[in-house]
Amino acid sequence: PITTQTQSQPPSQSRIQGTRRLIKLAAPQISYLYMGCVILLIRLPFSLSIPHFVSTTLGALSHADYDAARTEILLLFILGTIDAALDFWCVFLFGYAKERIVRAVRIDTFRAILRQDITFFDHHTSGDLASRLSSDCGEMAGDLTWFFRFSIESVVRI
């Protein structure tokens, strides 16, 4: 049955259990998530190199070494373009996986609503149920893709 709150479990336990269920729901999208993670790992060195090239460009300009500055600007442009292209694919793949996960969660939630006894609707308003379908499902899937992306970024940046 659908519940609006988890009263019997502490919030941390409920969160862990919810994350496990969400990972199970994400299983069909695992290929998109893996591709997004791989592209993210390829992209991060380019992203981390940009401040270096900005610094060396400014250093070359401060020493009036315009040839070195041109070279640094060209490298900055090339690496920045590669970073932007890889970031596009990273965002696209995680976003695509997220939307497919949201769709699956909404379908499962709607099926669960349809299986409820008629007395269930006496205790839960249609607005509450619509909120579950519209915003809550999206938030949960967004948490999962955010977890994958920013966990990897944090580990690589350390």
Side-chain angles (χ1 to χ4, degrees), residues 20-80:
R20 285 185 185 143
R21 286 186 63 213
L22 197 54
I23 288 172
K24 285 181 186 175
L25 285 171
Q29 311 313 320
I30 201 74
S31 61
Y32 296 110
L33 293 172
Y34 279 148
M35 284 189 292
C37 291
V38 168
I39 290 173
L40 181 61
L41 287 171
I42 294 169
R43 182 190 78 84
L44 283 173
F46 292 102
S47 179
L48 293 173
S49 70
I50 290 176
H52 165 74
F53 287 105
V54 169
S55 173
T56 55
T57 301
L58 293 175
L61 288 173
S62 70
H63 292 97
D65 188 359
Y66 299 114
D67 289 333
R70 279 190 205 100
T71 303
E72 297 296 324
I73 289 171
L74 179 63
L75 288 172
L76 180 63
F77 176 75
I78 292 169
L79 295 175

Side-chain angles (χ1 to χ4, degrees), residues 90-152:
C90 185
V91 168
F92 172 78
L93 288 168
F94 280 118
Y96 187 72
K98 176 189 160 213
E99 291 305 317
R100 291 180 64 118
I101 293 167
V102 167
R103 181 176 177 263
V105 169
R106 284 186 177 145
I107 288 171
D108 288 349
T109 304
F110 190 66
R111 283 184 183 147
I113 289 171
L114 291 177
R115 286 192 304 266
Q116 298 302 313
D117 236 9
I118 197 71
T119 57
F120 173 82
F121 298 100
D122 292 337
H123 302 290
H124 297 25
T125 65
S126 60
D128 186 38
L129 298 174
S131 173
R132 294 272 181 248
L133 285 171
S134 62
S135 61
D136 293 353
C137 293
E139 272 186 49
M140 289 186 332
D143 288 348
L144 180 68
T145 55
W146 180 90
F147 171 77
F148 276 111
R149 180 171 182 164
F150 291 107
S151 297
I152 292 171

